[in-house]
Amino acid sequence: MKRRDFLKGLMSASCMAIGSTSLLSPLNALAAPRGRDEWLTTGSHFGAFKIRRKNGVIAEVKPFELDKYPTDMIKGIKGLVYNPSRIRYPMVRLDFYKNGHKSNTAERGDFRFVRVTWDEALQLFKESLDEIQTKYGPSGLHAGQTGWRATGQLHSSTSHMQRAVSMHGNFVKKIGDYSTGAGQTILPYVLGSTEVYAQGTSWPLILKNTKTLILWSNDPVKNLQVGWNAETHESFGYLAELKAKVAKGEIRVISIDPVETKTQAYLGCERLYINPQTDVAMMLAIAYELYQQKLYDAEFVKGYSLGFEDFLPYLLGKTDNTPKTPEWAEAICGVSAATIRDLAKVMVQDRTQIMMGWCIQRQQHGEQPYWMAAVLATMIGQIGLPGGGISYGHHYSSIGVPATSAAAPGAFPRNLDEGKKPLFDSNDFKGASSTIPVARWVDAILEPGKTIDANGSRVTFPDIKMMVFSGNNPWNHHQDRNRMKQAFQKLEAVVTIDVNWTATARFSDIVLPACTTLERNDIDVYGSYANRGILAMHKMVEPLFDSLSDFEIFTRFAAILGREQEYTRGMNEMQWIEQLYNECREANKAKYPMPDFATFWKEGYVHFGEGEEWTRHADFRADPEINPLGTPSGLIEIFSRKIAAFNYDDCPGHPMWMEKKERSHGGPGSDKHPLWLQSCHPDQRLHSQMCESEEYRATYTVKGREPVYISPEDAKARGVKDGDIVRVFNDRGQLLAGAVISKRFPKGVIRIHEGAWYGPVGKDGSKEGGSEIGALCSYGDPNTLTMDIGTSKLAQACAAYTCLVDFEKFEGKLPEVSSFTGPVEVTL
Amino acid sequence: MKWFSSLWQTLGKPALTLSLGFIAISAFIMGIVFWGGFNTALEATNTEEFCISCHSMESKPYQELQQTVHWSNHSGVRATCPDCHVPHDWSRKIARKMEASHDVWGWLFQTVNTDEKFEAKRLEMASREWKRFDRDNSLACKNCHDYKSMKWDSMSPLAQKQMKRAAEIDQSCIDCHKGIAHKLPDMGTARAPELIAEVGSGVTPSVGESYFSALTKPLYLDATSTEEAGTLNVATKVKVLETKGKRVKVAIEGWRKRIGAGRVIYFDFGVNILSAELSLDAAKTQNLIRTFEEKQDPMTGLMWERVEADIWTDADYLLGDIAPLWSYAKTTYSSSCSVCHTQPEEAHFDANTWPGMFQGMLAFVNMDQDTQALVQKYLQEHSATFNKDAH
């Protein structure tokens, strides 16, 4: 061989090695940051993005090419990574560090923490679990309270926490959730499915067939901005078409709501004002009118439902001497009898689609409006027709966008592998229930051993001594902060794994820093319910400070338990992502061919193409015998003998109007605190996520405080001007917020979006004083004021919407906002 | 032809000058030479080169093999055509060779010389090979792969579970690993492949015995008609009354609601666990459904009636034991339904509440129709209705 040929050969060989790094180099090299200045792909609840990284930091965020309707929240993405609320190091509450399980728990929330190493923190975590399992057994530990996490199928924080803690021992779990607790419990009895989390009729069919669209307490333009997986906002294309049809008079949209919603303002549609919490009265009156005027579809009621005859005596007033006439309803709901009669006619004259929002089931007796709306839709008789009937989820996670039938990637396992047992394998819950309704855990801490009714069974509260939270902020979503403080004083240990110093972290003993989605690699489906494609979630920057990915945190924890290999199944981050991808590729090979993993990871996504149009309940309508609903009878149950057999005073066998504990506009309690507090899902956050994004938060806050939306009348009566700081209060608590006076809100109604970070300060205005019962929230968390009661004995769900308050101009010395700057670090 | 008759005459004469020993030794040597030649020729047909010398073998099965782990793997061991397709044992090898002469016919008449023709016959050809593997319990695989030498710990939990079960009963490898070296034929009903891989495609049913359906199966009015008379739901118990060809006549016992045409048969009184659905015609057919006592369900006010339907179905996908179905359903439930939230205990809801909860959560779950039906039935049959102590 000549020297020249040898060199040529060597050169081509090295060229090959460079050209094919993606195939030959280890997967970790593939995942590592590439060039110095490049666009990478990722996704989040807020949208899918292309992100430009320059010199190791995030320089620019733009929407993913297939997201045609990105939201304003894209401006907040960078601030999710770079903000002063980030937990930088593992930390332990001062007195817990000194005294462990015998610490002074009244100090919890005083925000004084000591920095520790990861090894120390995880060891303390493990020792706490040991102590609880030894002393109390599994009923002493609640690690089942889970929340919205960050997106990504591998790093999903609740799965990691529960798999790891399950290796140690058993624990109390929850059933249901805070968003749809009443709805997901009542609707299986009535329509045979949770409905709230089920696919809905496709938007193109609604746009084509619907003539009247009723948005009942529903604000899709606000709520479709975020999704359970990477959201690509295709619903907004259909909403734009709807807007055009409203303008041309082709579809009549009526928003039934106490306030002028974002959706109503966007569509330019009609509004029908109704007093808060009185929807059932109005629905009953519509049913009364439909029945008396014989406008209802008697054939449909007979063929597809059960129990109409058992409901009629109540409707007609034979059981309670109160016929549910439009005049009767007018006095309660504030809608004129004539308008109710007119609406009844409108609903049956052409194709009518009713779209229910979730807010009205987050109130006392929240089961009733959902049940009664289903009765109305049954009487209208269009369930199962394209563009007709009723839906409970068109404002959520791309429901209604024609879905592909592709398989989505699986996830890191939440459960122990088959046949594996926890180190502490006791299942002795000491006579208490191992599963409790999601919103009743604070009741359980306060009153262990108490037995309550829940969905046909009896639940006995376990004596909870320790809680573990991961990617979950109950100090946002639970009600009544001062009651929570009392409960937390009874806990021996609280562990929180989070990205930020949320209020939950503030009230914890051991706090572990997780990194954000932008600091790790992952994989997700995009388009949520529509399942439009698979998204690569590229790591943009290395984890900040001492933070670690959820996978890494719990791999280290499993190592302390001696179960690291079992935990990871011997795979690292990129091997897991590749396996999740390959399993998905295998499942899709017949219908949705996907490229190999290296190609996908380089391209950033795989798109599945167009979805298929679909009508909810069409199969049931076509043949109710073969396609029965999931109800006991298989039919729509207007009267449920099963619920009636439970004998609950607050949820009888058919939908019923019941007065609330607190109700504005002349209802109970309105003489003392006349204003109804609407604490709906935020417009510029996902619950409490993104509140920490500083620059973006500044675009909507008022003097650094959460806005409170007030009607001009209520503001005037209290001498409050736009931009004033007000104190909002009732007997349960008090908060400061910034007044935004808006004509979109009627007299007697104020709004503070939930998800505003709780920032209690003491009477002296200090952070440390935040542990006091009755402390003032310096930022404006509405759940400082809400009531912690169950919707009824059926669902026992969150009832935040039953809440009256008042406000005044705040004249005292304005305390600093204490929500966003992390703890008072104590050096020993 | 004169030389031939003279040779024949010569050969017909007894040996006059050759000793018996010489003749015997010569015959022995000649025998060795002939046998060697035959064997060499036989072995020549037993090489990869020979197999792929025919175009249709080279262009399809051989190309497909090259994409699989049997061709290229980290240990560098390769399985070639005869390793899997020719038995090692002599008499069976000869039988296989006789059988394979059929391929020469195919080559002569060009039965599979185009892509279309090959694909059209793929299922038939594959089925023949699968049957052969069935007959010798996948001996060709087991020449290299031995259950006893498998290292369980290095397998994924699911693989462990499936392989251990297979090892216990020395299961035929091909039961689950069809398509491992060549493209899987389009089987029309390639339904729930993972489920069938775990539970198998059924046993040969005997009259008088009870079985459980491994898939949702079509029902027929008689042993030959192709018109479907309804469906038998997955994991439903049936008793075989009669067998005829590829069909069996089964008895489905259960209860039905006295509404509509009475087309749906449920597992038990007042419990919405689906057993079978009949077509309108079938429901009206005389003597198909025998009816017994009636009862009112207090939870709905509906009247129910005990029934037995005697109806035909295909003889495949009938299992002798329900345990593998429940085991598959339990694993699927626990992994698929914990992606978004902790999956509720099976006994958290009763049998009639599960369909509403399960169907209302399905949008995010990847399950084919059969698996969905199976998991729902698993949840219902393990619900609070049947498990009173749990909560």
Side-chain angles (χ1 to χ4, degrees):
Chain A
M1 185 186 246
K2 285 178 190 161
R3 188 170 165 270
R4 189 183 151 80
D5 290 346
F6 174 77
L7 284 178
K8 257 167 72 182
L10 196 71
M11 258 175 69
S12 58
S14 48
C15 284
M16 254 193 49
I18 292 166
S20 56
T21 41
S22 58
L23 293 173
L24 297 176
S25 56
L27 280 164
N28 280 336
L30 197 81
R34 290 179 286 201
R36 275 161 49 85
D37 184 352
E38 60 193 329
W39 289 96
L40 296 172
T41 311
T42 194
S44 70
H45 294 303
F46 310 96
F49 309 111
K50 289 284 186 189
I51 294 187
R52 188 164 68 89
R53 178 177 58 198
K54 200 174 175 183
N55 299 327
V57 295
I58 295 161
E60 198 180 335
V61 182
K62 69 177 184 185
F64 174 54
E65 50 260 50
L66 298 176
D67 185 355
K68 303 285 184 258
Y69 300 88
T71 79
D72 191 48
M73 279 178 269
I74 194 167
K75 295 175 196 154
I77 295 298
K78 205 174 145 184
L80 294 177
V81 181
Y82 307 114
N83 72 71
S85 302
R86 286 289 299 266
I87 305 172
R88 302 175 183 204
Y89 318 105
M91 292 192 107
V92 178
R93 184 170 65 81
L94 177 61
D95 203 52
F96 189 85
Y97 186 78
K98 290 182 187 159
N99 297 310
H101 282 233
K102 294 189 177 63
S103 77
N104 177 5
T105 56
E107 283 182 13
R108 199 176 273 128
D110 74 0
F111 225 0
R112 291 184 297 164
F113 278 81
V114 180
R115 180 177 167 182
V116 295
T117 64
W118 267 107
D119 287 347
E120 271 181 282
L122 291 172
Q123 189 60 37
L124 273 177
F125 183 5
K126 191 237 169 205
E127 283 165 10
S128 261
L129 291 171
D130 287 347
E131 187 162 349
I132 294 293
Q133 293 288 359
T134 310
K135 270 195 336 209
Y136 309 107
S139 59
L141 176 66
H142 191 352
Q145 198 72 10
T146 54
W148 262 76
R149 70 188 183 129
T151 58
Q153 297 295 84
L154 167 59
H155 288 284
S156 198
S157 55
T158 48
S159 297
H160 280 286
M161 184 272 279
Q162 291 195 329
R163 179 173 170 85
V165 175
S166 297
M167 288 185 163
H168 183 274
N170 298 311
F171 51 84
V172 175
K173 292 174 181 157
K174 58 125 181 176
I175 188 87
D177 60 51
Y178 279 77
S179 299
T180 67
Q184 66 173 265
T185 307
I186 185 71
L187 290 176
Y189 292 103
V190 178
L191 289 171
S193 149
T194 65
E195 295 292 316
V196 290
Y197 295 133
Q199 186 54 275
T201 300
S202 304
W203 278 107
L205 292 172
I206 291 169
L207 291 166
K208 197 170 143 200
N209 298 292
T210 305
K211 290 289 171 284
T212 306
L213 176 61
I214 311 277
L215 292 170
W216 205 308
S217 178
N218 195 353
D219 199 352
V221 172
K222 169 166 70 70
N223 294 323
L224 284 167
Q225 297 181 101
V226 292
W228 180 252
N229 297 90
E231 185 53 59
T232 39
H233 304 115
E234 287 180 81
S235 316
F236 284 87
Y238 300 113
L239 287 167
E241 284 182 54
L242 181 61
K243 181 182 166 79
K245 283 183 180 280
V246 170
K248 280 189 257 175
E250 290 170 10
I251 297 182
R252 184 176 178 189
V253 180
I254 305 170
S255 169
I256 302 177
D257 207 297
V259 309
E260 186 187 322
T261 63
K262 190 178 184 187
T263 307
Q264 187 207 328
Y266 170 77
L267 293 175
C269 68
E270 293 170 48
R271 149 124 175 269
L272 204 163
Y273 166 84
I274 183 167
N275 285 339
Q277 303 189 81
T278 64
D279 307 79
V280 174
M282 177 157 134
M283 290 171 182
L284 283 164
I286 296 170
Y288 184 90
E289 182 70 7
L290 289 175
Y291 181 76
Q292 293 294 18
Q293 303 303 322
K294 299 194 168 48
L295 295 170
Y296 75 106
D297 188 338
E299 281 299 300
F300 187 83
V301 168
K302 188 161 172 280
Y304 293 87
S305 78
L306 203 68
F308 188 59
E309 290 72 25
D310 300 318
F311 166 66
L312 272 181
Y314 168 73
L315 185 69
L316 303 177
K318 287 179 182 148
T319 51
D320 59 356
N321 291 322
T322 311
K324 308 303 173 297
T325 62
E327 284 74 15
W328 164 81
E330 179 177 339
I332 299 167
C333 67
V335 181
S336 77
T339 306
I340 295 173
R341 290 204 165 86
D342 192 46
L343 187 61
K345 282 191 198 77
V346 168
M347 281 177 161
V348 293
Q349 77 193 7
D350 213 325
R351 191 64 54 85
T352 301
Q353 172 80 42
I354 301 174
M355 292 185 180
M356 303 297 293
W358 289 352
C359 283
I360 53 172
Q361 49 89 55
R362 302 180 80 235
Q363 56 172 268
Q364 196 186 9
H365 315 127
E367 296 86 355
Q368 305 303 314
Y370 267 30
W371 195 349
M372 190 55 215
V375 174
L376 268 189
T378 307
M379 292 176 76
I380 294 167
Q382 297 179 8
I383 290 174
L385 294 178
I390 188 160
S391 69
Y392 297 83
H394 270 103
H395 60 284
Y396 179 61
S397 286
S398 287
I399 283 179
V401 172
T404 70
S405 54
F412 185 80
R414 183 185 296 258
N415 300 310
L416 288 184
D417 290 342
E418 191 82 20
K420 301 291 180 188
K421 298 269 179 242
L423 297 177
F424 288 82
D425 194 23
S426 163
N427 260 309
D428 179 12
F429 283 79
K430 303 201 159 94
S433 305
S434 57
T435 303
I436 58 175
V438 64
R440 302 275 63 82
W441 60 286
V442 172
D443 291 0
I445 298 171
L446 288 169
E447 294 183 87
K450 183 181 172 182
T451 298
I452 62 162
D453 284 305
N455 201 13
S457 27
R458 303 280 289 162
V459 170
T460 301
F461 288 143
D463 194 357
I464 300 165
K465 296 292 184 189
M466 177 174 179
M467 298 211 55
V468 184
F469 304 106
S470 179
N472 174 37
N473 186 10
W475 282 79
N476 166 54
H477 62 234
H478 194 74
Q479 285 58 59
D480 197 343
R481 296 286 168 259
N482 287 315
R483 191 163 182 266
M484 286 179 81
K485 268 183 207 170
Q486 285 169 5
F488 266 54
Q489 291 183 5
K490 293 187 71 183
L491 294 175
E492 287 183 16
V494 183
V495 179
T496 289
I497 301 97
D498 209 301
V499 174
N500 298 305
W501 280 105
T502 61
T504 303
R506 175 193 291 231
F507 282 85
S508 300
D509 301 316
I510 302 173
V511 177
L512 307 176
C515 66
T516 67
T517 47
L518 279 72
E519 298 159 76
R520 50 174 171 72
N521 292 297
D522 213 322
I523 185 170
D524 199 10
V525 62
Y526 63 86
S528 288
Y529 278 78
N531 209 350
R532 308 292 278 122
I534 310 288
L535 193 73
M537 295 173 70
H538 293 141
K539 182 200 266 192
M540 302 294 159
V541 292
E542 290 304 318
L544 261 54
F545 310 108
D546 264 6
S547 68
L548 298 173
S549 70
D550 294 279
F551 181 77
E552 178 63 26
I553 293 171
F554 285 104
T555 299
R556 291 188 189 189
F557 179 80
I560 293 181
L561 305 183
R563 301 176 78 161
E564 182 181 357
Q565 175 73 15
E566 176 196 339
Y567 187 78
T568 62
R569 293 186 186 165
M571 291 188 283
N572 64 23
E573 182 189 62
M574 283 311 289
Q575 286 169 326
W576 265 102
I577 295 171
E578 185 175 9
Q579 167 157 316
L580 293 175
Y581 179 83
N582 284 339
E583 283 169 357
C584 180
R585 185 180 180 215
E586 176 67 21
N588 281 328
K589 70 179 174 192
K591 223 175 151 190
Y592 298 93
M594 290 159 63
D596 62 63
F597 178 68
T599 309
F600 154 73
W601 195 252
K602 191 159 168 275
E603 298 288 319
Y605 69 96
V606 177
H607 192 61
F608 290 140
E610 293 309 305
E612 281 164 33
E613 292 178 5
W614 183 79
T615 300
R616 178 140 195 89
H617 292 314
D619 56 345
F620 167 66
R621 189 179 184 98
D623 191 339
E625 197 184 346
I626 293 295
N627 307 305
L629 301 179
T631 58
S633 62
L635 301 166
I636 300 166
E637 298 208 358
I638 292 174
F639 187 100
S640 166
R641 291 190 183 211
K642 199 166 167 183
I643 293 179
F646 298 156
N647 255 319
Y648 295 156
D649 53 352
D650 51 6
C651 190
H654 59 75
M656 195 180 261
W657 159 251
M658 283 170 278
E659 188 53 275
K660 314 296 169 215
K661 255 186 152 163
E662 291 182 6
R663 187 169 67 79
S664 60
H665 300 85
S670 61
D671 45 348
K672 188 171 181 198
H673 298 112
L675 309 172
W676 178 61
L677 172 65
Q678 186 184 51
S679 54
C680 56
H681 187 273
D683 186 27
Q684 288 163 300
R685 292 187 292 261
L686 162 65
H687 297 305
S688 64
Q689 294 189 37
M690 201 176 268
C691 197
E692 72 274 21
S693 187
E694 265 206 319
E695 280 177 37
Y696 185 61
R697 187 175 70 245
T699 63
Y700 60 81
T701 50
V702 177
K703 296 195 176 102
R705 323 277 153 166
E706 181 71 12
V708 50
Y709 299 91
I710 302 171
S711 69
E713 296 91 327
D714 290 327
K716 199 176 164 202
R718 289 160 184 80
V720 167
K721 290 192 198 59
D722 197 80
D724 280 350
I725 298 299
V726 298
R727 188 179 75 98
V728 187
F729 60 92
N730 60 17
D731 294 339
R732 289 180 290 271
Q734 53 172 347
L735 62 83
L736 297 183
V740 176
I741 298 171
S742 166
K743 284 185 186 155
R744 281 168 54 182
F745 294 83
K747 186 172 185 300
V749 174
I750 68 164
R751 172 188 290 190
I752 306 175
H753 290 131
E754 54 96 4
W757 280 25
Y758 184 51
V761 290
K763 289 185 196 74
D764 57 355
S766 71
K767 260 191 204 181
E768 290 89 331
S771 57
E772 294 165 13
I773 306 269
L776 177 70
C777 176
S778 58
Y779 180 70
D781 167 16
N783 280 322
T784 309
L785 305 165
T786 50
M787 194 174 356
D788 187 8
I789 57 164
T791 51
S792 80
K793 295 186 178 80
L794 190 83
Q796 291 289 6
C798 152
Y801 261 47
T802 297
C803 178
L804 294 186
V805 298
D806 204 347
F807 68 85
E808 64 187 16
K809 190 171 170 180
F810 184 70
E811 309 276 14
K813 182 172 176 284
L814 202 55
E816 267 182 54
V817 172
S818 78
S819 314
F820 303 106
T821 49
V824 179
E825 190 178 335
V826 180
T827 323
L828 293 175
Chain B
M1 292 303 270
K2 206 174 168 199
W3 63 271
F4 181 78
S5 59
S6 85
L7 177 69
W8 190 249
Q9 278 176 5
T10 309
L11 287 173
K13 286 179 185 166
L16 296 175
T17 53
L18 301 175
S19 72
L20 187 62
F22 179 80
I23 293 170
I25 290 166
S26 309
F28 181 71
I29 292 168
M30 294 295 281
I32 290 174
V33 172
F34 276 118
W35 173 239
F38 175 75
N39 222 27
T40 306
L42 188 75
E43 281 309 311
T45 69
N46 228 15
T47 60
E48 196 172 272
E49 289 76 19
F50 178 81
C51 297
I52 61 168
S53 62
C54 128
H55 171 74
S56 34
M57 280 292 173
E58 200 276 332
S59 66
K60 301 286 281 190
Y62 187 59
Q63 296 294 332
E64 288 164 14
L65 173 68
Q66 291 179 26
Q67 305 299 315
T68 73
V69 71
H70 280 99
W71 177 266
S72 166
N73 50 62
H74 50 71
S75 50
V77 180
R78 178 175 295 179
T80 60
C81 315
D83 291 329
C84 304
H85 295 284
V86 185
H88 295 197
D89 166 62
W90 190 81
S91 56
R92 292 177 50 212
K93 187 190 281 185
I94 294 299
R96 175 79 186 103
K97 287 288 163 188
M98 306 284 282
E99 203 179 275
S101 59
H102 172 264
D103 295 3
V104 178
W105 184 267
W107 172 72
L108 271 173
F109 289 89
Q110 306 197 331
T111 20
V112 289
N113 64 328
T114 67
D115 205 46
E116 292 71 37
K117 285 191 199 165
F118 192 96
E119 288 303 331
K121 275 193 99 67
R122 188 191 278 274
L123 180 59
E124 185 192 321
M125 294 187 293
S127 301
R128 207 181 297 138
E129 279 305 285
W130 293 337
K131 282 222 179 77
R132 203 173 56 73
F133 273 76
D134 275 343
R135 278 198 302 271
D136 63 12
N137 206 15
S138 299
L139 180 66
C141 311
K142 290 173 181 169
N143 283 329
C144 298
H145 301 275
D146 183 359
Y147 282 123
K148 289 197 194 81
S149 319
M150 286 180 186
K151 196 172 158 194
W152 307 121
D153 289 346
S154 59
M155 293 184 188
S156 77
L158 186 66
Q160 269 189 46
K161 191 174 150 212
Q162 292 173 336
M163 289 306 296
K164 280 183 182 165
R165 228 182 82 78
E168 276 166 23
I169 55 170
D170 192 25
Q171 195 173 3
S172 172
C173 313
I174 202 74
D175 280 1
C176 305
H177 295 285
K178 293 183 179 76
I180 198 159
H182 308 293
K183 206 178 115 191
L184 203 60
D186 180 6
M187 293 188 279
T189 56
R191 292 159 42 195
E194 288 165 8
L195 165 64
I196 295 306
E198 178 150 340
V199 303
S201 50
V203 294
T204 308
S206 331
V207 171
E209 297 296 314
S210 289
Y211 300 92
F212 298 90
S213 43
L215 289 174
T216 300
K217 286 165 57 67
L219 295 170
Y220 305 99
L221 288 179
D222 54 51
T224 52
S225 108
T226 50
E227 199 181 328
E228 286 188 15
T231 53
L232 178 69
N233 193 23
V234 66
T236 303
K237 187 178 179 180
V238 293
K239 189 174 166 192
V240 171
L241 305 171
E242 193 181 334
T243 64
K244 201 184 240 176
K246 289 179 176 171
R247 294 255 173 98
V248 286
K249 189 180 192 184
V250 295
I252 308 166
E253 291 179 9
W255 288 75
R256 68 177 178 184
K257 296 172 184 172
R258 299 287 285 129
I259 51 171
R263 284 178 291 161
V264 184
I265 301 174
Y266 294 99
F267 176 71
D268 204 350
F269 165 72
V271 178
N272 294 332
I273 301 178
L274 179 65
S275 290
E277 293 169 354
L278 304 176
S279 66
L280 262 182
D281 286 347
K284 283 189 221 146
T285 303
Q286 291 284 311
N287 302 327
L288 194 147
I289 299 177
R290 290 191 287 147
T291 61
F292 304 92
E293 71 271 21
E294 287 194 1
K295 262 202 275 186
Q296 192 186 32
D297 170 26
M299 284 301 153
T300 57
L302 298 177
M303 290 304 293
W304 288 62
E305 170 180 68
R306 187 161 76 82
V307 292
E308 183 189 310
D310 298 344
I311 194 162
W312 291 83
T313 186
D314 294 325
D316 56 3
Y317 299 114
L318 290 173
L319 307 174
D321 181 13
I322 194 145
L325 283 169
W326 287 161
S327 156
Y328 181 81
K330 186 182 168 67
T331 310
T332 307
Y333 172 62
S334 133
S335 60
S336 298
C337 299
S338 62
V339 169
C340 304
H341 55 75
T342 315
Q343 77 284 4
E345 297 289 327
E346 290 86 342
H348 191 85
F349 299 109
D350 66 26
N352 286 359
T353 305
W354 261 122
M357 293 311 298
F358 184 67
Q359 286 164 25
M361 291 284 181
L362 270 179
F364 272 137
V365 178
N366 304 324
M367 284 187 206
D368 55 68
Q369 297 285 315
D370 291 286
T371 308
Q372 267 179 32
L374 174 64
V375 173
Q376 178 172 319
K377 198 164 190 174
Y378 163 77
L379 292 169
Q380 289 183 290
E381 291 201 22
H382 294 80
S383 67
T385 307
F386 303 98
N387 183 357
K388 299 284 182 201
D389 342 306
H391 194 270

